[in-house]
Amino acid sequence: MNVKKEITRWKYACILLFGIGISNIGEWVYFIALNLIVLDMTDSPLAVSVLYIIKPLATLFTSFWAGSFIDRLNKRSLMIFLDIIRALFIVLLPLLSSVPSIYLFVFIINMASAMFSPVSLIYITKLILQGDRKRFNALYSLVTSGAFFIGPAVAGLLFYIGTPTLAIYINAVALFSSGLITYFMPNLENNYGTMQEKISFKILRKDWNVVMDFSREHKYTMWIYVLFSCVMVVMASAVDSLEAAFAKEVLLLSNSEYGILVSIAGAGIVLGACINTLFIKKIAVSLLIGLGSVLVSFGYVIYAISTTFLFAGIGFFILAFFISYANAGFLTFYQNNIPTDVMGRVGSIYRLFEAMLIIFTTTIIGTLAQMISIRIAVIAGVFVMLLLAFTLLIASRLPSKKRCFNVL
């Protein structure tokens, strides 16, 4: 009977991973196609760059209230709804004739995406038993990494046989398919999408207090969360914003060489994720988080101080290879230490501050690059990243906090 239940659980886990994979590949296709559509309409690189600003802005606008809805609604139903909403708005994108209207639709799509991430994480946490989470998160990293590698390739093929508009429609179909797949997943909650209380400013304020109280009671958990976020999201995003300029203006790479560099990173992500799935059960969660983050940062350092294509490629490969280790470890830690009944509110509110830090740090590094030099800005960013990563490694290996990383 236990074997049967185990098979059933992993059957649903595989179905979920398949849906996530389709959705992630579709998002890559959609975003690349959207860049080309906006560039074709405006002939302005600035207009395209606005698309990159919309995502953190949508996260800022959504995060302070989304968690209150997420924790009170049925997660499976909400995932289906968000997939369908995104599919519908994406279908309408090619029909729009003005850039401001495209920006508005992209903002709404990114709002739905900002909600989908914490919803799916809660559902995964409820679906996967604690002892299986490390293995599942390794597979999850493999699927998302594969999408990073496959998505642009699929986009290129679609542009070759059709147009960016066709690619947009393909993504809408992918999201609709993801929602359909989710429909066949088990319902893990009693409620089917209705809320017992109306969301008001009073409720939002109460929920913020719940998150603050949780943070005070679980200081170590949130300290690890913040450190990991600063290393792997905030500093990585800030440094990545100068990636193209660093490659072109500092390393003097051609467009084709830069394309190869990105491909090296993609290969590193996929290879690292594949090996991770084989050995993750033997690696402690604290090492995955701490040492994984240090090795990712070390790869960034090699890239930042490189003067040739070869060393830049080595740095790219190292940082990409260890990303899945760090992410799988963090997801497991997060799922094991934050209860699902507050996970939506905790994740959303902390993502609000994360988005603010991304905008602030990216502005600082961008200004430093403009006023002094791109290389100095990148080197400063990666050494701050490395310092935070070592702090995370030390914090995650404290003997007194070992129980926080042990799978019960």
Side-chain angles (χ1 to χ4, degrees):
M1 189 67 176
N2 289 336
V3 174
K4 187 176 180 181
K5 286 182 178 179
E6 179 78 9
I7 292 172
T8 301
R9 278 200 308 271
W10 278 102
K11 178 188 77 173
Y12 284 125
C14 291
I15 293 172
L16 183 60
L17 286 170
F18 181 68
I20 290 169
I22 290 175
S23 178
N24 274 268
I25 291 171
E27 281 190 25
W28 273 103
V29 173
Y30 145 77
F31 195 65
I32 294 171
L34 187 62
N35 276 279
L36 295 177
I37 288 173
V38 170
L39 185 62
D40 186 55
M41 289 178 67
T42 64
D43 199 29
S44 167
L46 179 61
V48 176
S49 68
V50 173
L51 294 172
Y52 290 83
I53 300 172
I54 290 175
K55 186 173 183 177
L57 287 177
T59 302
L60 282 174
F61 183 79
T62 308
S63 293
F64 73 91
W65 55 265
S68 297
F69 284 89
I70 291 167
D71 283 337
R72 290 176 172 85
L73 289 170
N74 182 281
K75 310 305 176 288
R76 173 174 160 271
S77 300
L78 188 53
M79 287 166 67
I80 295 169
F81 173 77
L82 292 171
D83 271 336
I84 292 173
I85 284 293
R86 288 187 292 173
L88 288 174
F89 274 89
I90 286 171
V91 163
L92 295 174
L93 271 177
L95 305 178
L96 302 176
S97 57
S98 69
V99 174
S101 60
I102 289 177
Y103 288 158
L104 176 61
F105 273 52
V106 171
F107 185 79
I108 294 170
I109 292 165
N110 278 304
M111 282 178 60
S113 295
M115 287 187 70
F116 187 87
S117 179
V119 175
S120 61
L121 181 58
I122 297 170
Y123 185 84
I124 288 169
T125 305
K126 287 176 175 286
L127 178 69
I128 306 300
L129 294 180
Q130 195 174 38
D132 294 330
R133 285 173 187 164
K134 261 206 306 185
R135 185 167 39 152
F136 178 88
N137 289 329
L139 291 170
Y140 178 86
S141 295
L142 176 60
V143 168
T144 53
S145 302
F148 171 84
F149 199 65
I150 296 169
V154 172
L157 179 63
L158 289 172
F159 299 157
Y160 180 75
I161 63 175
T163 64
T165 300
L166 172 63
I168 291 283
Y169 287 137
I170 292 292
N171 180 52
V173 172
L175 282 170
F176 184 80
S177 300
S178 177
L180 187 63
I181 289 168
T182 305
Y183 178 79
F184 292 102
M185 295 295 294
N187 180 46
L188 305 175
E189 297 162 289
N190 293 326
N191 60 321
Y192 280 83
T194 58
M195 290 192 296
Q196 300 300 315
E197 52 186 338
K198 185 179 178 181
I199 298 298
S200 62
F201 283 109
K202 183 179 179 181
I203 294 295
L204 291 176
R205 188 168 62 249
K206 176 185 173 184
D207 287 346
W208 272 71
N209 289 332
V210 167
V211 175
M212 295 304 107
D213 290 341
F214 180 87
S215 300
R216 281 190 289 268
E217 292 172 14
H218 302 83
K219 291 179 182 177
Y220 179 75
T221 297
M222 301 322 299
W223 175 235
I224 295 295
Y225 181 106
V226 170
L227 278 174
F228 184 87
S229 174
C230 286
V231 174
M232 298 296 295
V233 182
V234 176
M235 294 310 303
S237 297
V239 172
D240 287 348
S241 69
L242 294 176
E243 178 188 295
F246 185 87
K248 299 279 290 182
E249 297 181 27
V250 177
L251 299 179
L252 303 176
L253 301 183
S254 64
N255 287 338
S256 59
E257 286 174 325
Y258 177 57
I260 294 171
L261 201 62
V262 173
S263 298
I264 289 171
I269 287 176
V270 174
L271 182 60
C274 288
I275 295 175
N276 189 25
T277 58
L278 299 176
F279 298 104
I280 192 166
K281 292 194 75 174
K282 299 179 181 179
I283 308 174
V285 173
S286 57
L287 272 180
L288 287 169
I289 295 175
L291 189 58
S293 299
V294 167
L295 290 170
V296 169
S297 302
F298 182 67
Y300 270 101
V301 170
I302 294 175
Y303 153 71
I305 63 176
S306 64
T307 56
T308 65
F309 173 83
L310 176 62
F311 279 99
I314 291 171
F316 257 49
F317 184 84
I318 291 173
L319 72 88
F321 185 90
F322 289 104
I323 281 176
S324 65
Y325 292 83
N327 286 339
F330 173 72
L331 280 175
T332 305
F333 174 82
Y334 184 83
Q335 291 165 335
N336 290 347
N337 288 277
I338 299 181
T340 54
D341 58 342
V342 297
M343 193 178 280
R345 282 166 285 182
V346 171
S348 293
I349 289 174
Y350 272 84
R351 262 187 291 274
L352 170 65
F353 294 114
E354 182 180 271
M356 293 169 64
L357 276 174
I358 289 172
I359 293 171
F360 175 76
T361 309
T362 302
T363 302
I364 293 293
I365 286 187
T367 303
L368 191 62
Q370 184 72 28
M371 295 179 64
I372 304 177
S373 78
I374 295 173
R375 183 181 286 281
I376 289 176
V378 171
I379 289 175
V382 298
F383 273 101
V384 170
M385 186 180 184
L386 185 62
L387 177 63
L388 290 169
F390 271 114
T391 305
L392 175 59
L393 174 61
I394 293 168
S396 64
R397 297 295 289 175
L398 292 175
S400 61
K401 301 298 181 181
K402 191 175 180 180
R403 59 181 177 79
C404 296
F405 295 91
N406 289 337
V407 176
L408 302 176

